[in-house]
């Protein structure tokens, strides 16, 4: 069930990860069994630096291209990270 609009979501797989996708409001969420532990999430967050990080930018572009099949050009990436 979609956490935003409460309609049915469908499971989709992109690479090794599974997501819940809502056809109604287009909310896309990684399935909770693919979440990192709090400790691993913090370690990963502390490594994050997207200021001019070509590898990170290319990763985001690839992900955006993959989900365009489901979302068209309606993509919102909400997040943040440390910047040095």
């Amino acid at each position: 069930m979609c956490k935003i609009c409460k309609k049915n979501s469908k499971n989709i797989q992109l690479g090794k990860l599974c997501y819940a996708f809502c056809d109604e409001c287009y909310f896309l969420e990684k399935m909770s069994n693919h979440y990192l532990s709090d400790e691993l999430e913090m370690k990963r967050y502390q490594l994050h630096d997207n200021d001019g990080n070509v590898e990170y930018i290319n990763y985001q572009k690839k992900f955006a291209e993959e989900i365009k099949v489901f979302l068209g050009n309606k993509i919102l990436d909400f997040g943040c990270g440390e910047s040095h």
Side-chain angles (χ1 to χ4, degrees):
M1 179 181 295
C2 178
K3 291 182 179 179
I4 304 299
C5 71
K6 307 300 183 210
K7 303 287 184 181
N8 287 330
S9 295
K10 64 183 176 186
N11 293 344
I12 60 172
Q13 185 159 352
L14 299 173
K16 295 179 182 179
L17 300 177
C18 293
Y19 296 83
F21 174 70
C22 179
D23 283 321
E24 186 71 26
C25 72
Y26 303 109
F27 180 62
L28 179 71
E29 176 186 28
K30 183 168 44 174
M31 301 295 279
S32 60
N33 60 324
H34 292 284
Y35 289 174
L36 296 174
S37 68
D38 290 346
E39 181 180 312
L40 288 175
E41 184 177 1
M42 180 53 80
K43 285 181 181 179
R44 177 82 182 251
Y45 175 81
Q46 290 170 333
L47 294 173
H48 185 85
D49 176 16
N50 64 353
D51 275 353
N53 183 332
V54 175
E55 184 177 321
Y56 177 75
I57 293 167
N58 288 338
Y59 165 79
Q60 290 297 330
K61 284 181 181 179
K62 183 179 179 208
F63 182 75
E65 287 300 317
E66 293 271 344
I67 64 174
K68 275 180 141 179
V69 172
F70 303 99
L71 303 179
N73 289 318
K74 299 177 182 179
I75 299 171
L76 171 65
D77 176 25
F78 181 79
C80 60
E82 292 186 5
S83 182
H84 303 277

